[in-house]
Amino acid sequence: MLSRLFAPTVKVSAHCDLPCGVYDPAQARIEAESVRAVQEKMAANDDPHFQARATVIKEQRAELAKHHVSVLWSDYFKPPHFEKHPELHQLVNETLKALSAAKASTDPKTGEKALELIERIDVIFKETKKA
């Protein structure tokens, strides 16, 4: 009797841990854009104090971008997405590695590469949102 009294009266389900709308590759893109911008500023400034501060900011932003990509991969994308886009696992892996490379580099080309890969994830993401 108690189990019926405390049983849920409404069942809800979602393909992600919250109803859709909370995930977006834009978060990763914004952080990756910051990485590239810092790399560009580092190339134009030889001050060692600026370089030290910029390095910390660049590494933090790269980690945040990696976090957002990882959350998309683990929490948003589901088996049907991977079935329709079999390249998605490899793409996410390449993106995370590109962000690690950008984190370790002052070359804006590494930041640009990460942004290009995030854009490819975004194209797939937007397609899944239409479905």
mmCIF file of all heavy atoms in Angstrom, residues 66-94:
data_model
loop_
_atom_site.group_PDB
_atom_site.id
_atom_site.type_symbol
_atom_site.label_atom_id
_atom_site.label_comp_id
_atom_site.label_asym_id
_atom_site.label_seq_id
_atom_site.Cartn_x
_atom_site.Cartn_y
_atom_site.Cartn_z
ATOM 1 N N LYS A 66 37.471 21.392 -24.064
ATOM 2 C CA LYS A 66 37.502 19.924 -24.017
ATOM 3 C C LYS A 66 36.345 19.394 -23.174
ATOM 4 O O LYS A 66 35.706 18.407 -23.534
ATOM 5 C CB LYS A 66 38.842 19.444 -23.455
ATOM 6 C CG LYS A 66 40.003 19.617 -24.414
ATOM 7 C CD LYS A 66 41.336 19.309 -23.780
ATOM 8 C CE LYS A 66 41.439 17.881 -23.309
ATOM 9 N NZ LYS A 66 42.782 17.535 -22.814
ATOM 10 N N HIS A 67 36.079 20.050 -22.065
ATOM 11 C CA HIS A 67 34.971 19.635 -21.197
ATOM 12 C C HIS A 67 33.645 19.672 -21.963
ATOM 13 O O HIS A 67 32.865 18.716 -21.919
ATOM 14 C CB HIS A 67 34.904 20.532 -19.962
ATOM 15 C CG HIS A 67 33.637 20.384 -19.190
ATOM 16 N ND1 HIS A 67 33.390 19.304 -18.361
ATOM 17 C CD2 HIS A 67 32.529 21.156 -19.148
ATOM 18 C CE1 HIS A 67 32.182 19.430 -17.842
ATOM 19 N NE2 HIS A 67 31.643 20.536 -18.296
ATOM 20 N N HIS A 68 33.399 20.776 -22.672
ATOM 21 C CA HIS A 68 32.126 20.914 -23.382
ATOM 22 C C HIS A 68 31.982 19.884 -24.500
ATOM 23 O O HIS A 68 30.899 19.337 -24.704
ATOM 24 C CB HIS A 68 31.966 22.334 -23.925
ATOM 25 C CG HIS A 68 31.775 23.355 -22.848
ATOM 26 N ND1 HIS A 68 30.758 23.293 -21.920
ATOM 27 C CD2 HIS A 68 32.485 24.460 -22.537
ATOM 28 C CE1 HIS A 68 30.836 24.313 -21.095
ATOM 29 N NE2 HIS A 68 31.882 25.035 -21.444
ATOM 30 N N VAL A 69 33.068 19.593 -25.202
ATOM 31 C CA VAL A 69 33.020 18.559 -26.246
ATOM 32 C C VAL A 69 32.762 17.195 -25.609
ATOM 33 O O VAL A 69 31.946 16.406 -26.099
ATOM 34 C CB VAL A 69 34.315 18.557 -27.078
ATOM 35 C CG1 VAL A 69 34.374 17.341 -27.999
ATOM 36 C CG2 VAL A 69 34.427 19.848 -27.890
ATOM 37 N N SER A 70 33.433 16.920 -24.502
ATOM 38 C CA SER A 70 33.254 15.636 -23.815
ATOM 39 C C SER A 70 31.828 15.462 -23.314
ATOM 40 O O SER A 70 31.268 14.360 -23.387
ATOM 41 C CB SER A 70 34.226 15.520 -22.636
ATOM 42 O OG SER A 70 35.543 15.487 -23.085
ATOM 43 N N VAL A 71 31.233 16.520 -22.804
ATOM 44 C CA VAL A 71 29.853 16.447 -22.319
ATOM 45 C C VAL A 71 28.899 16.167 -23.475
ATOM 46 O O VAL A 71 27.981 15.353 -23.344
ATOM 47 C CB VAL A 71 29.465 17.730 -21.554
ATOM 48 C CG1 VAL A 71 27.955 17.806 -21.327
ATOM 49 C CG2 VAL A 71 30.203 17.795 -20.222
ATOM 50 N N LEU A 72 29.111 16.811 -24.608
ATOM 51 C CA LEU A 72 28.277 16.501 -25.780
ATOM 52 C C LEU A 72 28.382 15.031 -26.123
ATOM 53 O O LEU A 72 27.380 14.366 -26.374
ATOM 54 C CB LEU A 72 28.721 17.330 -26.986
ATOM 55 C CG LEU A 72 28.275 18.770 -27.025
ATOM 56 C CD1 LEU A 72 29.006 19.506 -28.138
ATOM 57 C CD2 LEU A 72 26.777 18.862 -27.221
ATOM 58 N N TRP A 73 29.609 14.531 -26.157
ATOM 59 C CA TRP A 73 29.846 13.138 -26.541
ATOM 60 C C TRP A 73 29.205 12.174 -25.542
ATOM 61 O O TRP A 73 28.552 11.205 -25.930
ATOM 62 C CB TRP A 73 31.346 12.886 -26.645
ATOM 63 C CG TRP A 73 31.687 11.493 -27.038
ATOM 64 C CD1 TRP A 73 31.620 10.937 -28.276
ATOM 65 C CD2 TRP A 73 32.160 10.460 -26.173
ATOM 66 N NE1 TRP A 73 32.018 9.613 -28.238
ATOM 67 C CE2 TRP A 73 32.353 9.304 -26.947
ATOM 68 C CE3 TRP A 73 32.443 10.401 -24.808
ATOM 69 C CZ2 TRP A 73 32.805 8.118 -26.417
ATOM 70 C CZ3 TRP A 73 32.899 9.221 -24.279
ATOM 71 C CH2 TRP A 73 33.076 8.091 -25.087
ATOM 72 N N SER A 74 29.364 12.443 -24.257
ATOM 73 C CA SER A 74 28.891 11.477 -23.253
ATOM 74 C C SER A 74 27.432 11.663 -22.852
ATOM 75 O O SER A 74 26.754 10.692 -22.516
ATOM 76 C CB SER A 74 29.773 11.540 -22.003
ATOM 77 O OG SER A 74 29.657 12.815 -21.383
ATOM 78 N N ASP A 75 26.924 12.888 -22.892
ATOM 79 C CA ASP A 75 25.578 13.142 -22.377
ATOM 80 C C ASP A 75 24.543 13.448 -23.452
ATOM 81 O O ASP A 75 23.369 13.153 -23.273
ATOM 82 C CB ASP A 75 25.589 14.303 -21.381
ATOM 83 C CG ASP A 75 26.356 13.986 -20.113
ATOM 84 O OD1 ASP A 75 26.815 12.834 -19.956
ATOM 85 O OD2 ASP A 75 26.519 14.887 -19.275
ATOM 86 N N TYR A 76 24.950 14.068 -24.543
ATOM 87 C CA TYR A 76 23.961 14.423 -25.561
ATOM 88 C C TYR A 76 23.853 13.355 -26.650
ATOM 89 O O TYR A 76 22.771 12.850 -26.914
ATOM 90 C CB TYR A 76 24.275 15.783 -26.205
ATOM 91 C CG TYR A 76 23.312 16.059 -27.336
ATOM 92 C CD1 TYR A 76 22.016 16.491 -27.068
ATOM 93 C CD2 TYR A 76 23.675 15.823 -28.654
ATOM 94 C CE1 TYR A 76 21.104 16.688 -28.095
ATOM 95 C CE2 TYR A 76 22.771 16.024 -29.691
ATOM 96 C CZ TYR A 76 21.493 16.454 -29.402
ATOM 97 O OH TYR A 76 20.591 16.627 -30.417
ATOM 98 N N PHE A 77 24.964 13.057 -27.302
ATOM 99 C CA PHE A 77 24.911 12.105 -28.416
ATOM 100 C C PHE A 77 24.584 10.710 -27.888
ATOM 101 O O PHE A 77 25.167 10.255 -26.921
ATOM 102 C CB PHE A 77 26.229 12.098 -29.196
ATOM 103 C CG PHE A 77 26.469 13.355 -29.980
ATOM 104 C CD1 PHE A 77 27.565 14.153 -29.715
ATOM 105 C CD2 PHE A 77 25.596 13.743 -30.995
ATOM 106 C CE1 PHE A 77 27.794 15.310 -30.443
ATOM 107 C CE2 PHE A 77 25.815 14.901 -31.723
ATOM 108 C CZ PHE A 77 26.926 15.689 -31.442
ATOM 109 N N LYS A 78 23.646 10.067 -28.538
ATOM 110 C CA LYS A 78 23.160 8.739 -28.145
ATOM 111 C C LYS A 78 23.363 7.745 -29.289
ATOM 112 O O LYS A 78 23.679 8.132 -30.414
ATOM 113 C CB LYS A 78 21.671 8.813 -27.762
ATOM 114 C CG LYS A 78 21.396 9.747 -26.596
ATOM 115 C CD LYS A 78 22.075 9.278 -25.337
ATOM 116 C CE LYS A 78 21.799 10.213 -24.177
ATOM 117 N NZ LYS A 78 22.790 10.138 -23.142
ATOM 118 N N PRO A 79 23.147 6.445 -29.037
ATOM 119 C CA PRO A 79 23.373 5.435 -30.081
ATOM 120 C C PRO A 79 22.760 5.760 -31.447
ATOM 121 O O PRO A 79 23.437 5.573 -32.464
ATOM 122 C CB PRO A 79 22.812 4.154 -29.466
ATOM 123 C CG PRO A 79 23.076 4.332 -28.001
ATOM 124 C CD PRO A 79 22.813 5.802 -27.748
ATOM 125 N N PRO A 80 21.533 6.263 -31.520
ATOM 126 C CA PRO A 80 21.004 6.572 -32.858
ATOM 127 C C PRO A 80 21.840 7.624 -33.604
ATOM 128 O O PRO A 80 21.975 7.562 -34.820
ATOM 129 C CB PRO A 80 19.590 7.090 -32.583
ATOM 130 C CG PRO A 80 19.223 6.517 -31.257
ATOM 131 C CD PRO A 80 20.507 6.436 -30.485
ATOM 132 N N HIS A 81 22.404 8.566 -32.856
ATOM 133 C CA HIS A 81 23.247 9.578 -33.492
ATOM 134 C C HIS A 81 24.521 8.938 -34.043
ATOM 135 O O HIS A 81 24.966 9.263 -35.152
ATOM 136 C CB HIS A 81 23.630 10.676 -32.489
ATOM 137 C CG HIS A 81 22.466 11.389 -31.905
ATOM 138 N ND1 HIS A 81 22.392 11.709 -30.563
ATOM 139 C CD2 HIS A 81 21.308 11.839 -32.455
ATOM 140 C CE1 HIS A 81 21.260 12.338 -30.321
ATOM 141 N NE2 HIS A 81 20.581 12.426 -31.453
ATOM 142 N N PHE A 82 25.113 8.039 -33.251
ATOM 143 C CA PHE A 82 26.343 7.376 -33.679
ATOM 144 C C PHE A 82 26.086 6.429 -34.849
ATOM 145 O O PHE A 82 26.948 6.244 -35.706
ATOM 146 C CB PHE A 82 27.001 6.640 -32.512
ATOM 147 C CG PHE A 82 27.497 7.569 -31.432
ATOM 148 C CD1 PHE A 82 26.930 7.548 -30.170
ATOM 149 C CD2 PHE A 82 28.530 8.459 -31.677
ATOM 150 C CE1 PHE A 82 27.376 8.411 -29.172
ATOM 151 C CE2 PHE A 82 28.986 9.330 -30.687
ATOM 152 C CZ PHE A 82 28.407 9.297 -29.440
ATOM 153 N N GLU A 83 24.890 5.841 -34.884
ATOM 154 C CA GLU A 83 24.546 4.972 -36.011
ATOM 155 C C GLU A 83 24.406 5.785 -37.299
ATOM 156 O O GLU A 83 24.868 5.366 -38.356
ATOM 157 C CB GLU A 83 23.246 4.221 -35.715
ATOM 158 C CG GLU A 83 23.407 3.162 -34.634
ATOM 159 C CD GLU A 83 22.077 2.634 -34.114
ATOM 160 O OE1 GLU A 83 21.019 2.911 -34.723
ATOM 161 O OE2 GLU A 83 22.106 1.945 -33.067
ATOM 162 N N LYS A 84 23.790 6.935 -37.194
ATOM 163 C CA LYS A 84 23.603 7.784 -38.367
ATOM 164 C C LYS A 84 24.900 8.485 -38.773
ATOM 165 O O LYS A 84 25.104 8.782 -39.954
ATOM 166 C CB LYS A 84 22.516 8.825 -38.099
ATOM 167 C CG LYS A 84 22.171 9.623 -39.325
ATOM 168 C CD LYS A 84 20.913 10.421 -39.139
ATOM 169 C CE LYS A 84 20.599 11.125 -40.452
ATOM 170 N NZ LYS A 84 19.408 11.916 -40.382
ATOM 171 N N HIS A 85 25.770 8.747 -37.799
ATOM 172 C CA HIS A 85 27.034 9.451 -38.043
ATOM 173 C C HIS A 85 28.181 8.623 -37.464
ATOM 174 O O HIS A 85 28.729 8.953 -36.410
ATOM 175 C CB HIS A 85 27.002 10.839 -37.397
ATOM 176 C CG HIS A 85 25.892 11.692 -37.889
ATOM 177 N ND1 HIS A 85 25.954 12.378 -39.084
ATOM 178 C CD2 HIS A 85 24.670 11.963 -37.366
ATOM 179 C CE1 HIS A 85 24.830 13.031 -39.268
ATOM 180 N NE2 HIS A 85 24.033 12.792 -38.245
ATOM 181 N N PRO A 86 28.556 7.552 -38.127
ATOM 182 C CA PRO A 86 29.583 6.663 -37.579
ATOM 183 C C PRO A 86 30.944 7.342 -37.398
ATOM 184 O O PRO A 86 31.775 6.857 -36.629
ATOM 185 C CB PRO A 86 29.662 5.515 -38.582
ATOM 186 C CG PRO A 86 29.018 6.022 -39.818
ATOM 187 C CD PRO A 86 28.041 7.079 -39.410
ATOM 188 N N GLU A 87 31.144 8.472 -38.055
ATOM 189 C CA GLU A 87 32.405 9.198 -37.914
ATOM 190 C C GLU A 87 32.474 10.022 -36.625
ATOM 191 O O GLU A 87 33.527 10.573 -36.287
ATOM 192 C CB GLU A 87 32.609 10.121 -39.121
ATOM 193 C CG GLU A 87 31.737 11.373 -39.131
ATOM 194 C CD GLU A 87 30.299 11.213 -39.596
ATOM 195 O OE1 GLU A 87 29.801 10.075 -39.712
ATOM 196 O OE2 GLU A 87 29.634 12.231 -39.839
ATOM 197 N N LEU A 88 31.376 10.080 -35.896
ATOM 198 C CA LEU A 88 31.283 10.973 -34.735
ATOM 199 C C LEU A 88 32.280 10.627 -33.631
ATOM 200 O O LEU A 88 32.909 11.524 -33.058
ATOM 201 C CB LEU A 88 29.851 10.972 -34.199
ATOM 202 C CG LEU A 88 29.488 12.037 -33.183
ATOM 203 C CD1 LEU A 88 29.851 13.433 -33.668
ATOM 204 C CD2 LEU A 88 28.000 11.961 -32.869
ATOM 205 N N HIS A 89 32.451 9.347 -33.320
ATOM 206 C CA HIS A 89 33.422 8.970 -32.284
ATOM 207 C C HIS A 89 34.820 9.471 -32.652
ATOM 208 O O HIS A 89 35.509 10.084 -31.832
ATOM 209 C CB HIS A 89 33.469 7.447 -32.085
ATOM 210 C CG HIS A 89 32.298 6.894 -31.351
ATOM 211 N ND1 HIS A 89 31.989 7.241 -30.052
ATOM 212 C CD2 HIS A 89 31.358 5.995 -31.730
ATOM 213 C CE1 HIS A 89 30.918 6.580 -29.664
ATOM 214 N NE2 HIS A 89 30.506 5.818 -30.666
ATOM 215 N N GLN A 90 35.236 9.205 -33.886
ATOM 216 C CA GLN A 90 36.566 9.628 -34.345
ATOM 217 C C GLN A 90 36.676 11.146 -34.366
ATOM 218 O O GLN A 90 37.702 11.717 -33.994
ATOM 219 C CB GLN A 90 36.876 9.041 -35.727
ATOM 220 C CG GLN A 90 38.254 9.383 -36.241
ATOM 221 C CD GLN A 90 39.366 8.773 -35.402
ATOM 222 O OE1 GLN A 90 39.203 7.723 -34.805
ATOM 223 N NE2 GLN A 90 40.498 9.455 -35.354
ATOM 224 N N LEU A 91 35.618 11.813 -34.785
ATOM 225 C CA LEU A 91 35.616 13.270 -34.840
ATOM 226 C C LEU A 91 35.781 13.876 -33.453
ATOM 227 O O LEU A 91 36.557 14.824 -33.263
ATOM 228 C CB LEU A 91 34.324 13.763 -35.500
ATOM 229 C CG LEU A 91 34.123 15.274 -35.570
ATOM 230 C CD1 LEU A 91 35.272 15.953 -36.308
ATOM 231 C CD2 LEU A 91 32.772 15.572 -36.230
ATOM 232 N N VAL A 92 35.066 13.355 -32.482
ATOM 233 C CA VAL A 92 35.197 13.858 -31.113
ATOM 234 C C VAL A 92 36.613 13.614 -30.605
ATOM 235 O O VAL A 92 37.231 14.498 -30.000
ATOM 236 C CB VAL A 92 34.140 13.228 -30.178
ATOM 237 C CG1 VAL A 92 34.443 13.523 -28.715
ATOM 238 C CG2 VAL A 92 32.748 13.730 -30.547
ATOM 239 N N ASN A 93 37.156 12.429 -30.873
ATOM 240 C CA ASN A 93 38.521 12.116 -30.453
ATOM 241 C C ASN A 93 39.519 13.095 -31.081
ATOM 242 O O ASN A 93 40.388 13.632 -30.386
ATOM 243 C CB ASN A 93 38.862 10.670 -30.813
ATOM 244 C CG ASN A 93 40.235 10.291 -30.347
ATOM 245 O OD1 ASN A 93 41.200 10.393 -31.107
ATOM 246 N ND2 ASN A 93 40.340 9.850 -29.106
ATOM 247 N N GLU A 94 39.388 13.333 -32.372
ATOM 248 C CA GLU A 94 40.286 14.269 -33.062
ATOM 249 C C GLU A 94 40.143 15.682 -32.495
ATOM 250 O O GLU A 94 41.134 16.411 -32.358
ATOM 251 C CB GLU A 94 39.992 14.290 -34.556
ATOM 252 C CG GLU A 94 40.416 13.047 -35.292
ATOM 253 C CD GLU A 94 40.002 13.068 -36.758
ATOM 254 O OE1 GLU A 94 39.790 14.169 -37.324
ATOM 255 O OE2 GLU A 94 39.874 11.980 -37.337
#
